[in-house]
Amino acid sequence: MSRISIDQVKHVAHLARLAMTEEEAVAYTEQLDKMISFAELLNELDADNVEPTSHVLDMKNVMREDKANKGLPQDEVLKNAPEHQDGYIKVPSIIE
Amino acid sequence: MSLFDHKVSELHQLLHKKEITVTDLVSESYKRIGEVEDKVQAFLTLDEERARQAAKKMDEKIGTDEAKGLLFGMPIGVKDNIVTKGLRTTSASKILENFDPIYDATVASKLHNAETITIGKLNMDEFAMGSSNENSGFQVTRNPWNLERVPGGSSGGSAASVAAGEVLFSLGSDTGGSIRQPASYCGVVGLKPTYGRVSRFGLIAFASSLDQIGPITRTVEDNAYLLQAISGVDPMDSTSANVDVPSYAESLTGDVKGLRIAVPKEYLAEGVNEEVRQSVLDALKVLGKLGATWEEVSLPHSKYALATYYLLSSSEASANLARFDGVRYGYRTPDPENLIDLYKKTRAEGFGDEVKRRIMLGTFALSSGYYDAYYKKAQKVRTLIKQDFENVFEKYDVIIGPTAPTPAFKIGENTSDPLTMYANDILTIPVNLAGVPGISVPCGFSDGLPLGLQIIGKHFDESTVYRVAHAFEQATEFHKQKPGL
């Protein structure tokens, strides 16, 4: 049985903001199916009572002094922006 | 004979005695690059003009107190996922092809303080996703020992440039083996430090709970010196650990008497090439003669590490790589219909296949309805893998095994099936999941291709890892061989 359908792949591509042709969607369905099947090896293990590890070191609430630091200069930051105008980064209009 | 056949400490003495200049060191780099780079293709960007200018200025300081630092004037290569102010940084991705960083990574600032000279930026698999450098968006680096073979990855350029004598040493990064595996394939020394030992600020993130920057060098001693320069807590990285940094060089005593070595049976099992296996058993004999003892142990959850790693690292990557959207920096698609279309086309056109595949897997594993079954399950198995290491380290000082199951494979050999490619990292991945330090040191050859011995230590115990690696290196001749380029 297939673990993932082509419609699911298209949905995931949308969530990931990746444009995808029909051909690519077919290829990804096959590849992801293989990878997910491989990952299901973990189902052999009963880990219901195991605490998840998100971070290996025992660190909590790393704080710093509440002191303002200088940010990066605006003209420098805009240097790598594909499009900018009047000190703002420009994108296509989002309100019709 | 190349100047880079000398160790850092020897070159430092030669500078001090004014027998050589910083300009000589920098010229050695660019001369060698001129000779072999068209074959090796380790560099994505060279910084020759600035490097030569810096060398000239530094030459005036030779003999004064300002030139006292051990790394003063030493030529280094930097992996291209470490941002360097004013020096193009691409992470080997088309999406960052013309990216000009406006600040330095913390390790780059530390190198600057130590007064090394950056020769250029080194090739890698795109966003560090790969084991061969074949996933670079720009070029395939070749193994200096055999140009038909891969240098390993993802820090393939970092390892190949050191092996080829193009730089004295380099920085790489290691998420699932990306320093150790190429070090093994290229016959050099590569260390992944304990998670939190080195600041990740300015390292273009792949999987934030696993990534670490580390040194690649010709010798263990040089490795210890380079790690010394980049270690330590950093206010800009809240996951860097506030733990004392010892003098690593002091651990290089050659003394391993009474050392207890654990050898996981899973690391010498099926799938590990016979010559690789034999080289590890021979290495254990060498360490045995020096007074260490070894016993077989089990890391019972090893077989789950690869699946755990691909779920966790791809999930983290899918979140980290969301920033590449064509808005603030990097590539932008030329003719978007609207904002969503801009994101989608920019990313589809800017990322390579392997990166997209992992973003897809990660997005799936984190998506509603699948999160518990895949992502959370993998986090739980990670706990079991970490506990395997803790259990062994209650009785033993280090764990030893091969770095990779085979020597360097042929270019193109593993590209058709991603899962075969992933299997290359089966012996290095558990170390990242547990967050402990691991080194690869040369331990033999198979058909003229180098093999690597992996030595794994307890959290923040790089000193013992270096002590064992150094003792082994001094008792053997493997590190003295050079590729016949």
Side-chain angles (χ1 to χ4, degrees), chain A residues 8 14 44 51 53 80 90, chain B residues 100 304 332 344 370 383:
Chain A
Q8 274 175 300
H14 171 68
E44 284 178 25
E51 282 295 311
T53 295
N80 281 299
K90 203 174 168 187
Chain B
D100 182 15
Y304 303 107
R332 179 185 283 194
K344 288 189 173 180
Y370 299 95
T383 304

Side-chain angles (χ1 to χ4, degrees), chain A residues 4 8-9 12-20 24 28 31-32 34-36 38-45 47-48 50-57 59 62 72 76-77 79-83 89-92 94, chain B residues 99-100 102 195 209 238-241 303-304 306-308 311 326-330 332 339-340 342-344 347-348 353 356-357 359-361 363-364 370 374 377 379-384 386 419 422 433-435 460:
Chain A
I4 187 165
Q8 274 175 300
V9 166
V12 171
H14 171 68
L15 292 175
R17 299 292 185 264
L18 284 170
M20 197 169 275
E24 285 171 327
Y28 276 109
Q31 288 174 358
L32 281 178
K34 263 195 197 169
M35 291 165 83
I36 295 162
F38 172 66
E40 285 181 353
L41 177 69
L42 302 188
N43 291 347
E44 284 178 25
L45 283 171
D48 285 353
V50 178
E51 282 295 311
T53 295
S54 59
H55 191 269
V56 285
L57 303 179
M59 296 167 125
V62 179
L72 294 161
E76 283 278 292
V77 172
K79 202 168 68 178
N80 281 299
E83 217 181 327
I89 288 166
K90 203 174 168 187
V91 293
I94 49 169
Chain B
F99 182 61
D100 182 15
I102 56 176
Y195 183 81
S209 79
S238 59
T239 64
S240 67
K303 72 172 200 177
Y304 303 107
L306 200 56
T308 303
L311 286 170
V327 174
R328 290 153 300 160
Y329 42 71
R332 179 185 283 194
L339 188 59
I340 295 282
L342 180 150
Y343 297 147
K344 288 189 173 180
R347 291 162 62 79
D353 281 345
K356 286 192 234 180
R357 199 155 35 234
I359 291 174
M360 289 291 289
L361 176 65
T363 307
F364 171 76
Y370 299 95
Y374 295 104
K377 179 73 185 249
Q379 282 192 316
K380 288 179 169 188
V381 180
R382 183 176 184 180
T383 304
L384 298 173
K386 188 177 164 231
L419 287 173
Y422 297 170
L433 291 170
F460 298 107

Side-chain angles (χ1 to χ4, degrees), chain B residues 153-198:
Chain B
S154 65
S155 310
S158 301
S161 61
V162 174
E166 296 180 306
V167 284
L168 178 62
F169 46 29
S170 67
L171 290 184
S173 71
D174 190 316
T175 304
S178 281
I179 288 173
R180 290 159 288 157
Q181 183 253 25
S184 169
Y185 283 9
C186 292
V188 292
V189 181
L191 175 103
K192 182 203 87 76
T194 307
Y195 183 81
R197 179 58 98 185
V198 177

